[in-house]
Amino acid sequence: MMAVEFQIAAARFGDDHSPFLSARLVADRLGVTLAELAKLIGVARNTLTAKSGARKVDSALSRVVRILAMASEMAGDESRAVIWFKHQPIPGWAGKTAFDLVGEGKADKVLAYLESVRAGVYA
């Protein structure tokens, strides 16, 4: 029987020793500080590193990680996806980037946009 490699794009954002996403890895990949990441996902800075806040942080980070994973798949590379996330205005959102929209609590709108682009709808 041949082994099949199961690739999970979001796994790059997790810590090997924890079932939760790593705020530090996400911040590093985005090139932002933990304080900036906390503001982006709407949690207190101290919550990012507190063990008691792991589930809340994981939930908040999951939207960002899903966006980055989908954008990486579409862009062909994580660096390009991060540049898109932080700097490319999304059509129809008055010059706002995915980073801006996530900071406003509109990660679902970014995911919907990416889904439509992936489905072939020109944005």
Side-chain angles (χ1 to χ4, degrees):
M1 177 183 253
M2 180 188 278
V4 177
E5 185 177 331
F6 186 59
Q7 293 188 357
I8 303 171
R12 296 187 306 264
F13 299 98
D15 185 3
D16 291 338
H17 308 290
S18 170
F20 301 110
L21 295 168
S22 167
R24 191 168 314 285
L25 285 176
V26 174
D28 287 347
R29 296 266 183 359
L30 286 175
V32 299
T33 65
L34 286 174
E36 291 168 325
L37 180 63
K39 182 178 178 186
L40 175 69
I41 63 172
V43 300
R45 162 64 179 91
N46 292 338
T47 305
L48 286 182
T49 54
K51 290 195 185 289
S52 61
R55 289 187 194 281
K56 180 179 182 177
V57 171
D58 191 67
S59 176
L61 284 174
S62 71
R63 292 180 290 272
V64 173
V65 168
R66 285 175 53 209
I67 290 167
L68 290 174
M70 190 180 297
S72 294
E73 178 186 311
M74 293 168 69
D77 144 320
E78 188 176 290
S79 317
R80 292 170 64 185
V82 168
I83 289 170
W84 170 84
F85 181 78
K86 292 170 66 179
H87 302 288
Q88 180 66 44
I90 295 179
W93 286 97
K96 293 182 180 180
T97 65
F99 188 93
D100 298 330
L101 292 172
V102 169
E104 294 174 5
K106 296 178 178 150
D108 57 327
K109 302 296 184 191
V110 177
L111 286 165
Y113 168 76
L114 288 173
E115 285 288 349
S116 68
V117 170
R118 185 163 61 179
V121 176
Y122 178 73

